[in-house]
Amino acid sequence: NLSDKLDSLFKKLRGQGVMTEENIKEALREVRLVLLEADVNFKVVKDFVEKVRERAVGTQVLQSLSPGQQVIKVVQEELVALMGGSEDNSLDLAAKPPVAIMMVGLQGSGKTTTCGKLARLLKGQRRRPLLVPADVYRPAAIEQLKTLGRQLSVETFDSRADQDPVDICREALRYATLNGFDTVILDTAGRLQIDEYLMNELVRIKEAADPREILFVADAMTGQEAVNVATGFNERLDITGVVLTKLDGDAKGGAALSIRAVTGKPVKLVGLGEKLDALEVFYPDRLVSRILGMGDILTLVEKAQATFDVTETERLQQKLKKSQFDLEDFKSQLQQIKKMGSLDSILGMIPGVGKAMKQMQGAQPSEKELKRIEAIIDSMTPGERANHQIINGSRRLRIAKGSGTTVQEVNQLLKRFTEAQKVMKQLQKMGPKGLMRGMKG
Ligand code: GDP
Ligand code: MG
């Protein structure tokens, strides 16, 4: 995990003043490797690392942030910016119907499947799509699209393999106009490599159909050649966006970075499986997390938001800021954690929390333990709850008796509490996008 690696790398740096060429060299080498491993094009990586270097050098090493996180933050922000930041990546269908969407890409990249997925998506948005098979070279291609159409109850234009693909598209648009279809999805042929014949055909289809969107479909597994292929399609067709397929596999999705960097065209959708519902809107920050191996912070936040009591969390956060996290808060926190499910799986999603997690090991209480912990804390006086340090031997004995537990159990709880306090401090240090703030957002 990159974040962990940088963390230890930068341990030495803490409090050393500013980042210099020299002291961030190693970290940048790690960043470079991670990106190359994710199949980002080497030229793109080179430019990118240079940018991060420029931004990082001379920056103060903050006491409050772990330095590894500080570099990660720069890397992450720059990558998200490279992927288009928070710009609007939705499909542009605002034109007089029927609007044409043209799917292009190499053979096997997932064009036909994506046509089906898109038809389903549009149908869900109350549009009336027409699927158009314009790949007349592969014998089974027309049938493949028809099958998808049947599954979706979406009409597939009745094209024949002996027709010219350009004529098919022209006729399909006329048919759509006459029959009230508002969106026409053109499934075109692919090749194993870019060739002139195919490109000419696609250019002619573009001229005939005047598509509002030309989506370049790219397999996320595509390695270094993604750049050349994307450039080839973009130069001839001036694509409007990218669909990154097969992101459900092992691919880290570095191809998306390369494509975006060289074409400047946004990734609009991602394919996450063979099924027709496996198409999603693209979120740059998620892809970046995936590439950096940082865990999916957003998933964490969503999960946390679903179960966490927001006002309670805000209250805790305020107390954390003032370092007033006390036993009462500890109790409330344990109850919340319980609601959130496995602590390991939650913390595992946060970058750089590996160490904190180990400290917390065993902190996730069972139902029975939680009851006992509650009983013990309830047996304390308000003063003791607010300041555990006053809980001496005789107080411990009294609390044990009051809660029907033993002094060892009271000791154990106090130990856990101080560990949790430490962890909470660490989480608090996670920077502006720290855990608590994320949950609030
Ligand atoms: P085309 O030649 O570009 O039309 O590609 P197809 O749509 O025929 O897809 C090629 C193969 O990739 C098929 O086996 C699809 O099921 C599979 N495929 C397409 N998209 C995805 C995806 O997002 N995830 C996975 N796992 N498989 C996909
Ligand atoms: Mg196909």
Side-chain angles (χ1 to χ4, degrees), residues 112 135 138 144 187:
T112 305
D135 176 0
R138 289 209 332 210
Q144 188 190 352
D187 184 26

Side-chain angles (χ1 to χ4, degrees), residues 274-285:
E274 301 196 37
K275 295 229 180 75
L276 290 172
D277 59 359
L279 185 72
E280 285 185 7
V281 173
F282 174 71
Y283 294 107
D285 41 3

Side-chain angles (χ1 to χ4, degrees), residues 20 37 43 56 72 111 159 164 172 185 193 198 209 211-212 238-240 253 288 305 314 352 364 375 389 397 437:
T20 64
E37 268 168 33
K43 174 86 172 47
I72 269 282
K111 291 180 298 300
S159 48
D164 175 26
I185 303 173
Q193 284 126 23
L198 175 70
R212 189 80 178 178
D238 190 16
I239 61 173
T240 59
V288 168
Q305 266 174 343
E314 272 174 11
Q364 193 200 350
Q389 268 149 353
L397 188 62
R437 186 147 338 163

